[in-house]
DNA sequence: GTCTATAAGCGGATAGAC
DNA sequence: GTCTATCCGCTTATAGAC
């Protein structure tokens, strides 16, 4: 979308997006200049405009790619008719793992939605809400089927998403716990939060 | 701290801080100009510098006041020797309510720590970590006393804080649920997350 | 597609009158 | 303590050579 008519290769464009993701995550969109992005990529400022016509376009591209990837991957896994606890387990594993792996993108998606012009905001927000609604549906269906105990599907969905997304606040790849261990812990926490017993299985996998 | 020697009254300084909190929360620190703050207050730019010597000082003042207020209020409530479930309930009620009431300050504290120069960051971060550690201590003590079931006190503390703080992502004062109802829901969720039964009491209060 | 150079304006911060 | 006026660096974005 943001590529200038006439440009062919995508190498530089991808390098710009990678640099932008990292810099936006570190300093925030408003605090990152086009010069800083260019310097990081190893080109001059003017060259950026062969790939993106405005700084806003860089942000939009990064956010849209990320949100589309998130929901696309999730919808590959999501089985709306599966056993509630199975679906919940898959959701937690997917969300936590994805957020550990794509730390910077997630952080930007959370923080920089307000930096989007209204029209761009709508596009990104629509995808985000779709994901949010699917999480709520998973919980609501579990509640209706009598598998989950919860007070309010909407609040519970927001609480669950916040809890899981919070992994980006402290996770470091070389930290005390492995990605697998963290996944298990969050599955156990999510299960408990909807009144499910924490299965022997989950505890074993954590211990092992 | 940031008041210029010679200034007497505090009215304008407080107005500046209030405007800054709102604008920083809406647009982010880097995206808010001193001119925008001045305009919001109803004075000219130059006058700002009678109260704060730099823009950074405005942010530091706002964050320090907020973090000190948070931990001070919490430590008034916190009884390190109370029954674990009582302490947890108090913590959840305090945290959720405080975050609903001080939405903007909380948002800034989360987002703009990176906008602080190293020395200022250290001051604010120290207070934040102290609070975080106390939450962890509440959970760890409950686990040791056999009152709570949890996998890892540190991860659980981060997950609990993230879940509770997440209320700022969606809470609107005129929304579907009252502050009291939201408080109850989060207490129930926190209890379940550490394996505590959700008491009749809590459910009644929610229903009522 | 990338470069250099430049336009046009906004940014934080200061000086000095009142 | 607030005002107006100003400094000057940095910002996004463009123009035109290569």
């Amino acid at each position: 979308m943001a590529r200038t008519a006439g440009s062919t290769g995508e190498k530089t464009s991808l390098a710009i997006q990678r640099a932008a993701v990292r810099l936006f995550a570190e300093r925030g969109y408003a605090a990152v200049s086009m010069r800083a992005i260019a310097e990081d990529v190893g080109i001059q400022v003017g060259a950026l405009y062969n790939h993106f016509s405005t700084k806003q376009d860089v942000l939009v591209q990064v956010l849209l790619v990320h949100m589309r990837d998130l929901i696309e991957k999730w919808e590959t896994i999501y089985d709306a008719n599966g056993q509630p606890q199975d679906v919940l387990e898959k959701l937690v594993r997917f969300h936590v793992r994805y957020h550990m792996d794509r730390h910077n993108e997630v952080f930007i998606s959370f923080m920089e939605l307000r930096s989007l012009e209204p029209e761009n905001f709508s596009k990104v927000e629509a995808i985000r809400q779709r994901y949010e609604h699917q999480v709520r549906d998973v919980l609501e269906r579990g509640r209706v089927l009598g598998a989950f105990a919860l007070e309010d599907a909407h609040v519970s969905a927001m609480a669950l998403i916040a809890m899981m997304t919070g992994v980006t606040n402290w996770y470091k790849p070389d930290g005390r716990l492995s990605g697998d261990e963290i996944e298990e812990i969050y599955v156990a926490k999510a299960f408990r939060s909807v009144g499910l017993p924490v299965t022997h299985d989950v505890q074993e996998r954590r211990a092992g």
Side-chain angles (χ1 to χ4, degrees), chain A residues 84-85 88-89 92 139 147-151 156 159-160 163 181-204 206:
Chain A
Q85 52 269 59
L88 179 61
E89 180 173 348
V92 175
L139 295 177
F148 298 164
L150 44 91
E151 293 69 34
S156 294
L160 178 61
M163 183 187 81
E181 286 173 315
I182 293 168
E183 229 185 73
E184 298 301 332
I185 294 174
Y186 275 88
V187 168
K189 298 201 79 65
F191 272 33
R192 282 215 183 84
S193 79
V194 297
L196 284 175
V198 173
T199 66
H200 193 57
D201 243 35
V202 169
Q203 288 180 329
E204 285 248 312
R206 160 133 177 69

Side-chain angles (χ1 to χ4, degrees), chain A residues 100-113:
Chain A
M100 286 191 289
D101 291 347
R102 309 280 299 264
H103 175 284
N104 284 341
E105 284 87 343
V106 169
F107 195 67
I108 298 172
S109 301
F110 178 69
M111 310 250 303
E112 301 296 357
L113 289 183

Side-chain angles (χ1 to χ4, degrees), chain A residues 12-13 15-24 27 29 32-45 48 52 54-55 58-59:
Chain A
T12 306
S13 171
I16 292 168
Q17 291 175 56
R18 271 196 301 272
V21 165
R22 192 162 39 74
L23 293 172
F24 289 166
R27 309 181 205 166
Y29 171 76
V32 175
S33 68
M34 291 296 260
R35 273 173 178 75
I37 296 174
E39 187 178 3
D40 198 274
V41 173
I43 57 178
Q44 296 302 312
V45 204
L48 285 181
F52 297 92
T54 64
K55 181 181 165 186
V58 180
L59 179 61

Side-chain angles (χ1 to χ4, degrees), chain A residues 2-204:
Chain A
R3 205 143 39 88
T4 297
S7 78
T8 50
E10 297 226 320
K11 244 184 75 182
T12 306
S13 171
L14 287 174
I16 292 168
Q17 291 175 56
R18 271 196 301 272
V21 165
R22 192 162 39 74
L23 293 172
F24 289 166
E26 282 171 9
R27 309 181 205 166
Y29 171 76
V32 175
S33 68
M34 291 296 260
R35 273 173 178 75
I37 296 174
E39 187 178 3
D40 198 274
V41 173
I43 57 178
Q44 296 302 312
V45 204
L48 285 181
Y49 292 86
N50 289 319
H51 304 273
F52 297 92
S53 55
T54 64
K55 181 181 165 186
Q56 171 89 185
D57 272 357
V58 180
L59 179 61
V60 172
Q61 174 74 357
V62 161
L63 291 183
L64 276 183
V65 166
H66 167 251
M67 293 304 295
R68 283 178 184 146
D69 186 63
L70 173 74
I71 198 154
E72 190 181 298
K73 282 200 169 65
W74 165 237
E75 291 185 350
T76 306
I77 296 169
Y78 183 26
D79 171 14
N81 298 314
Q83 286 297 311
Q85 52 269 59
D86 291 345
V87 178
L88 179 61
E89 180 173 348
K90 277 182 187 154
L91 170 66
V92 175
R93 289 188 191 284
F94 165 73
H95 190 106
V96 169
R97 179 66 66 169
Y98 189 95
H99 281 59
M100 286 191 289
D101 291 347
R102 309 280 299 264
H103 175 284
N104 284 341
E105 284 87 343
V106 169
F107 195 67
I108 298 172
S109 301
F110 178 69
M111 310 250 303
E112 301 296 357
L113 289 183
R114 65 180 171 191
S115 300
L116 292 171
E117 289 151 18
E119 173 183 12
N120 296 326
F121 173 80
S122 300
K123 286 186 207 160
V124 178
E125 177 68 0
I127 307 177
R128 199 188 60 74
Q129 285 201 10
R130 176 164 163 182
Y131 184 74
E132 217 169 271
H133 287 165
Q134 291 187 4
V135 173
R136 193 195 56 204
D137 291 347
V138 169
L139 295 177
E140 177 63 10
R141 182 159 163 277
R143 190 188 67 75
V144 169
L145 294 179
F148 298 164
L150 44 91
E151 293 69 34
D152 184 286
H154 178 248
V155 176
S156 294
M158 300 311 284
L160 178 61
I161 291 174
M163 183 187 81
M164 295 189 297
T165 303
V167 75
T168 60
N169 297 340
W170 57 269
Y171 171 70
K172 297 282 180 299
D174 54 348
R176 175 172 60 95
L177 299 166
S178 72
D180 285 347
E181 286 173 315
I182 293 168
E183 229 185 73
E184 298 301 332
I185 294 174
Y186 275 88
V187 168
K189 298 201 79 65
F191 272 33
R192 282 215 183 84
S193 79
V194 297
L196 284 175
V198 173
T199 66
H200 193 57
D201 243 35
V202 169
Q203 288 180 329
E204 285 248 312

